Amino acid sequence: MSPLPLPLPLPLDDLSVGLPAPVRSPSAARLTRLTLALLPLLSIGAWAAVDWHAVRDGAARLAAADPWWLLAGVFFTCLGWVSAACVRQGALPERLPPGLLLASQFAAGAANHILPASIGAHAVTLRFLQGRGVPLARATASLALYSLVKPLAKTLVLIVFLVALPDALRLGALVPDTSALLLAAGGAALGLATAPLLLMVVRPLRRPALGFVRTALTEARLLHTRPSRVLALWGGAAATPLLQGSVIASVGFSLGLPLSWTQVVLALLLASTAVGAVPAPGGIGPVDAALVFTMVAFGAPMGLATTTVIGYRVLTVWLPLLPGTLVLSALVHRKVL
């Protein structure tokens, strides 16, 4: 009787044949999305615990202010989100849903006050654009155009103010000396030369960088052939500092600040231009100090200027922070972001 033939070993690719397929539980994905939805709330809670004294003092000082002027400040704050949504729409050829776009900018405002240098707002907007079907390269080019147009438009508004009202504004204490101007010019030249030098040294960066520049230039050229996009992009960018200055002026008027609307807006333009490049969450810190200094140079008392800036931060940061964080969590939960 001949022995039975031994079965041939199965190849490695067939070892899984006949075995039950691994069951993937949706609990892990659900837990990840829940964590992402709750993370902004936890961050806001930690930040509030650290900076609680500023919030308490600002709210206490605003309790004695004129409520109608404060209501006007809230109105201008809301218009600021509309302005941001207009600039975002103007930087992209595709038409975005207005309601979701406005909600994303409201949520981006909350994220912007957590991470420095507008990283939070750009991250939220990038996720929103990708969720709308915009490719990553074009979405990134849109963010770059947005980041470029805003300071350019603010500079143009500042020039208009300086040219239109040269005598009504006391700028003597704010004009830097020659050494400061040379230092600023040297820093700007160094920053402009860094990018080409980096591309020359690091060759793997050349192709993606050139591709990004090509995409950004193509998008910008296309957008500037459409008057509606030009109006939304540049008009919204120019309106943003005016609305922010209107919020500060409204808070100042509610407290009796002895400055005009023009002086307050110019103080904001000068302060944000001088230290706006310093990476801080939402510009809090450097811009606040420069804004207080500028308003004092225009003739405002130090204590009143400080209280005005604190009230401005309460209206634009702390008051919408919890609703904005809730909207951010809701958008993440609904997979809009």
Side-chain angles (χ1 to χ4, degrees), residues 38-128:
L38 294 179
L39 184 60
L41 294 175
L42 298 177
S43 302
I44 295 305
W47 188 28
V50 173
D51 204 19
W52 173 248
H53 293 289
V55 182
R56 183 188 60 189
D57 294 343
R61 292 175 180 178
L62 288 179
D66 186 349
W68 292 108
W69 276 116
L70 293 181
L71 186 61
V74 173
F75 173 73
F76 289 122
T77 300
C78 296
L79 288 183
W81 299 318
V82 177
S83 175
C86 289
V87 182
R88 296 289 188 185
Q89 176 61 86
L92 199 69
E94 290 88 345
R95 180 173 176 80
L96 301 172
L100 288 179
L101 176 60
L102 184 58
S104 70
Q105 294 312 292
F106 185 49
N112 191 42
H113 297 301
I114 301 175
L115 298 176
S118 301
I119 296 177
H122 288 333
V124 170
T125 303
L126 184 63
R127 290 291 301 170
F128 172 72

Side-chain angles (χ1 to χ4, degrees), residues 42 58-59 89 107 116 158 161 181 185 291 317 320 334:
L42 298 177
Q89 176 61 86
L158 176 59
F161 268 71
L181 290 176
L291 182 56
V317 177
R334 296 181 60 182

